[in-house]
Amino acid sequence: MENVTVVDHPLVQHKLSIMRDKSTSTASFRQLLREISLLLCYEVTRDLDLTIKAIETPMQEMDAPTLKGKKLVFASILRAGNGLLEGMLDLVPSARVAHVGLYRDHETLEAVEYYYKAPTDLEDRVVIAVDPMLATANSATLAVDKLKRSGAKNLRFLCLLAAPEGIKAFEAAHPDVPIFTAALDSHLNDKGYIVPGLGDAGDRMYGTK
Ligand code: PRP
Ligand code: URA
């Protein structure tokens, strides 16, 4: 698990525990996901390169650090990825956005694609794929396959909960893509759900169950 960073900040852990609680309302779940995404975004962008720009403060000229290179790309794996995306865009409003529409077939647990739209110039950009759940990793693996086929070379994957099975599968498929997660859970159950988990992230976000 060399490629995995667990974001164990106390605020992240506290908010995540409230999200896991089955009595938490849809509105609170969505709000907490947005809040957590700001903290996770802070960690996943921690090592971005900076460059120096000459500016003038009201006091004097200075060489000021600014982000280097082209705008970031956030790639949301629909639907639930949008819960992370929205908060991340609050923090990095200039980021470009890719949408990868996938759902899990409940019988086979294979990811089924229904939509894909990404900026055309992914080659030179840092691309951060986001989805709250890394369970079997079928969805994350297919999403990253597609982003790579569109040219992405510098990728990270950000989630809220990961299962050991998913991490193993994702690392085998994409050893070059670091994973950032708020928690590493125990295992998958026989239906492919993360345990202890938080249930179905999309359903809890949008009240569809
Ligand atoms: C959930 C979740 C991930 C996927 C994870 O999406 O948001 O995309 O399952 O499972 P995996 O690692 O086994 O592929 P779901 O298919 O329920 O779609 P939704 O976001 O539209 O609810
Ligand atoms: N998708 C979810 O939303 N939850 C899980 O536990 C596994 C996959």
Short mmCIF file of all heavy atoms in Angstrom, two decimals, residues 77-81 102-104 106 109 111 114 131-140 192 200-203, ligand 1:
data_model
loop_
_atom_site.label_atom_id
_atom_site.label_comp_id
_atom_site.label_asym_id
_atom_site.label_seq_id
_atom_site.Cartn_x
_atom_site.Cartn_y
_atom_site.Cartn_z
N ILE A 77 -16.42 10.89 -11.08
CA ILE A 77 -17.05 9.62 -11.49
C ILE A 77 -18.50 9.68 -10.98
O ILE A 77 -18.75 9.69 -9.76
CB ILE A 77 -16.27 8.42 -10.92
CG1 ILE A 77 -14.80 8.49 -11.38
CG2 ILE A 77 -16.95 7.12 -11.34
CD1 ILE A 77 -13.90 7.43 -10.79
N LEU A 78 -19.42 9.79 -11.93
CA LEU A 78 -20.83 10.01 -11.59
C LEU A 78 -21.44 8.74 -10.99
O LEU A 78 -20.98 7.64 -11.32
CB LEU A 78 -21.60 10.40 -12.85
CG LEU A 78 -21.04 11.64 -13.58
CD1 LEU A 78 -21.82 11.87 -14.87
CD2 LEU A 78 -21.08 12.86 -12.69
N ARG A 79 -22.50 8.94 -10.18
CA ARG A 79 -23.02 10.21 -9.70
C ARG A 79 -22.25 10.76 -8.51
O ARG A 79 -22.12 11.96 -8.33
CB ARG A 79 -24.45 10.00 -9.13
CG ARG A 79 -25.57 9.66 -9.96
CD ARG A 79 -26.82 9.42 -9.11
NE ARG A 79 -26.71 8.20 -8.31
CZ ARG A 79 -27.63 7.86 -7.39
NH1 ARG A 79 -28.68 8.63 -7.14
NH2 ARG A 79 -27.50 6.73 -6.72
N ALA A 80 -21.84 9.82 -7.63
CA ALA A 80 -21.41 10.26 -6.31
C ALA A 80 -20.16 11.14 -6.33
O ALA A 80 -19.94 11.93 -5.41
CB ALA A 80 -21.20 9.03 -5.42
N GLY A 81 -19.36 11.03 -7.39
CA GLY A 81 -18.17 11.88 -7.48
C GLY A 81 -18.51 13.35 -7.41
O GLY A 81 -17.70 14.16 -6.93
N LEU A 102 -20.54 6.29 -14.88
CA LEU A 102 -20.44 4.83 -14.70
C LEU A 102 -21.43 4.39 -13.63
O LEU A 102 -21.67 5.13 -12.69
CB LEU A 102 -19.05 4.44 -14.18
CG LEU A 102 -17.81 4.81 -14.98
CD1 LEU A 102 -16.56 4.42 -14.19
CD2 LEU A 102 -17.83 4.10 -16.31
N TYR A 103 -22.00 3.21 -13.79
CA TYR A 103 -22.72 2.61 -12.66
C TYR A 103 -22.27 1.17 -12.51
O TYR A 103 -21.79 0.56 -13.48
CB TYR A 103 -24.25 2.73 -12.82
CG TYR A 103 -24.83 1.86 -13.90
CD1 TYR A 103 -25.20 0.55 -13.65
CD2 TYR A 103 -24.99 2.36 -15.19
CE1 TYR A 103 -25.73 -0.25 -14.66
CE2 TYR A 103 -25.53 1.57 -16.20
CZ TYR A 103 -25.89 0.27 -15.93
OH TYR A 103 -26.40 -0.52 -16.92
N ARG A 104 -22.43 0.66 -11.30
CA ARG A 104 -22.03 -0.73 -11.03
C ARG A 104 -23.19 -1.64 -11.33
O ARG A 104 -24.28 -1.45 -10.78
CB ARG A 104 -21.73 -0.88 -9.53
CG ARG A 104 -20.34 -0.69 -9.20
CD ARG A 104 -19.90 -1.26 -7.88
NE ARG A 104 -20.81 -1.47 -6.78
CZ ARG A 104 -20.47 -2.11 -5.69
NH1 ARG A 104 -19.26 -2.61 -5.57
NH2 ARG A 104 -21.31 -2.25 -4.70
N HIS A 106 -25.29 -4.50 -10.44
CA HIS A 106 -25.41 -5.08 -9.10
C HIS A 106 -25.15 -6.58 -9.06
O HIS A 106 -24.79 -7.12 -8.02
CB HIS A 106 -26.78 -4.74 -8.49
CG HIS A 106 -26.87 -3.31 -8.06
ND1 HIS A 106 -26.11 -2.79 -7.03
CD2 HIS A 106 -27.58 -2.27 -8.55
CE1 HIS A 106 -26.36 -1.51 -6.89
NE2 HIS A 106 -27.25 -1.16 -7.80
N LEU A 109 -21.01 -6.68 -10.59
CA LEU A 109 -20.15 -5.64 -9.99
C LEU A 109 -19.20 -5.00 -11.01
O LEU A 109 -18.28 -4.28 -10.65
CB LEU A 109 -19.36 -6.17 -8.78
CG LEU A 109 -20.18 -6.73 -7.63
CD1 LEU A 109 -19.28 -7.13 -6.46
CD2 LEU A 109 -21.23 -5.73 -7.15
N ALA A 111 -18.26 -2.28 -13.90
CA ALA A 111 -18.66 -0.89 -14.15
C ALA A 111 -19.21 -0.78 -15.57
O ALA A 111 -18.61 -1.30 -16.52
CB ALA A 111 -17.46 0.02 -13.98
N TYR A 114 -21.87 5.08 -19.20
CA TYR A 114 -22.99 5.71 -19.91
C TYR A 114 -22.69 7.12 -20.36
O TYR A 114 -23.48 7.73 -21.08
CB TYR A 114 -24.29 5.67 -19.07
CG TYR A 114 -24.20 6.37 -17.72
CD1 TYR A 114 -24.46 7.74 -17.60
CD2 TYR A 114 -23.86 5.66 -16.58
CE1 TYR A 114 -24.39 8.37 -16.37
CE2 TYR A 114 -23.79 6.29 -15.34
CZ TYR A 114 -24.05 7.64 -15.24
OH TYR A 114 -23.96 8.27 -14.03
N ASP A 131 -14.15 10.01 -6.50
CA ASP A 131 -15.33 9.16 -6.27
C ASP A 131 -15.29 8.82 -4.78
O ASP A 131 -14.25 8.40 -4.30
CB ASP A 131 -15.23 7.88 -7.12
CG ASP A 131 -16.52 7.06 -7.08
OD1 ASP A 131 -17.23 7.10 -6.06
OD2 ASP A 131 -16.79 6.37 -8.08
N PRO A 132 -16.40 8.99 -4.05
CA PRO A 132 -16.32 8.70 -2.61
C PRO A 132 -15.92 7.26 -2.28
O PRO A 132 -15.31 7.02 -1.24
CB PRO A 132 -17.73 9.00 -2.10
CG PRO A 132 -18.37 9.85 -3.12
CD PRO A 132 -17.71 9.52 -4.44
N MET A 133 -16.28 6.29 -3.16
CA MET A 133 -16.10 4.89 -2.77
C MET A 133 -15.16 4.12 -3.70
O MET A 133 -15.34 4.12 -4.91
CB MET A 133 -17.46 4.18 -2.79
CG MET A 133 -18.58 4.90 -2.05
SD MET A 133 -18.20 5.24 -0.34
CE MET A 133 -18.81 3.77 0.43
N LEU A 134 -14.17 3.46 -3.10
CA LEU A 134 -13.31 2.53 -3.85
C LEU A 134 -13.60 1.14 -3.27
O LEU A 134 -13.05 0.76 -2.23
CB LEU A 134 -11.84 2.90 -3.67
CG LEU A 134 -10.83 2.11 -4.51
CD1 LEU A 134 -10.96 2.45 -5.99
CD2 LEU A 134 -9.40 2.37 -4.05
N ALA A 135 -14.49 0.40 -3.92
CA ALA A 135 -14.92 -0.91 -3.39
C ALA A 135 -14.17 -2.02 -4.11
O ALA A 135 -13.07 -2.39 -3.72
CB ALA A 135 -16.44 -1.03 -3.50
N THR A 136 -14.72 -2.54 -5.23
CA THR A 136 -13.96 -3.52 -6.02
C THR A 136 -12.88 -2.81 -6.84
O THR A 136 -11.96 -3.44 -7.36
CB THR A 136 -14.87 -4.25 -7.03
OG1 THR A 136 -15.39 -3.28 -7.95
CG2 THR A 136 -16.01 -4.97 -6.35
N ALA A 137 -13.07 -1.49 -7.04
CA ALA A 137 -12.20 -0.64 -7.90
C ALA A 137 -12.53 -0.81 -9.38
O ALA A 137 -11.83 -0.23 -10.21
CB ALA A 137 -10.71 -0.86 -7.65
N ASN A 138 -13.58 -1.54 -9.72
CA ASN A 138 -13.91 -1.65 -11.15
C ASN A 138 -14.23 -0.28 -11.75
O ASN A 138 -13.82 0.02 -12.88
CB ASN A 138 -15.10 -2.60 -11.36
CG ASN A 138 -14.72 -4.05 -11.08
OD1 ASN A 138 -13.55 -4.39 -11.10
ND2 ASN A 138 -15.71 -4.88 -10.79
N SER A 139 -14.96 0.55 -11.00
CA SER A 139 -15.33 1.87 -11.53
C SER A 139 -14.10 2.76 -11.65
O SER A 139 -13.87 3.38 -12.70
CB SER A 139 -16.36 2.54 -10.61
OG SER A 139 -17.46 1.70 -10.40
N ALA A 140 -13.31 2.83 -10.60
CA ALA A 140 -12.12 3.71 -10.61
C ALA A 140 -11.13 3.27 -11.69
O ALA A 140 -10.54 4.10 -12.40
CB ALA A 140 -11.45 3.69 -9.24
N GLY A 192 -20.41 -6.77 -2.44
CA GLY A 192 -19.45 -5.78 -2.91
C GLY A 192 -19.55 -4.43 -2.22
O GLY A 192 -19.03 -3.43 -2.73
N ASP A 200 -24.66 3.02 0.39
CA ASP A 200 -24.55 3.43 -1.01
C ASP A 200 -24.40 4.96 -1.05
O ASP A 200 -25.33 5.70 -0.70
CB ASP A 200 -25.81 2.99 -1.77
CG ASP A 200 -25.68 3.27 -3.26
OD1 ASP A 200 -25.46 4.45 -3.64
OD2 ASP A 200 -25.77 2.33 -4.05
N ALA A 201 -23.22 5.41 -1.47
CA ALA A 201 -22.91 6.84 -1.39
C ALA A 201 -23.89 7.67 -2.22
O ALA A 201 -24.39 8.71 -1.76
CB ALA A 201 -21.48 7.08 -1.84
N GLY A 202 -24.18 7.22 -3.46
CA GLY A 202 -25.08 7.99 -4.32
C GLY A 202 -26.48 8.08 -3.72
O GLY A 202 -27.09 9.15 -3.69
N ASP A 203 -26.97 6.97 -3.21
CA ASP A 203 -28.31 6.97 -2.61
C ASP A 203 -28.35 7.89 -1.39
O ASP A 203 -29.32 8.62 -1.18
CB ASP A 203 -28.71 5.55 -2.20
CG ASP A 203 -29.13 4.71 -3.39
OD1 ASP A 203 -29.38 5.28 -4.47
OD2 ASP A 203 -29.19 3.47 -3.25
C1 PRP B 1 -20.69 3.63 -6.48
C2 PRP B 1 -19.54 4.56 -6.13
C3 PRP B 1 -18.47 4.13 -7.09
C4 PRP B 1 -18.69 2.65 -7.20
C5 PRP B 1 -17.67 1.95 -6.37
O1 PRP B 1 -21.33 4.07 -7.62
O2 PRP B 1 -19.88 5.92 -6.24
O3 PRP B 1 -18.57 4.75 -8.36
O4 PRP B 1 -20.01 2.39 -6.69
O5 PRP B 1 -17.75 0.59 -6.51
P1 PRP B 1 -16.62 -0.28 -7.23
O6 PRP B 1 -15.31 0.17 -6.67
O7 PRP B 1 -16.98 -1.68 -6.84
O8 PRP B 1 -16.71 -0.06 -8.70
P2 PRP B 1 -22.65 3.39 -8.19
O9 PRP B 1 -22.32 2.37 -9.20
O10 PRP B 1 -23.52 2.95 -7.05
O11 PRP B 1 -23.30 4.59 -9.00
P3 PRP B 1 -23.87 6.00 -8.49
O12 PRP B 1 -22.69 6.84 -8.08
O13 PRP B 1 -24.53 6.50 -9.70
O14 PRP B 1 -24.82 5.75 -7.35
#
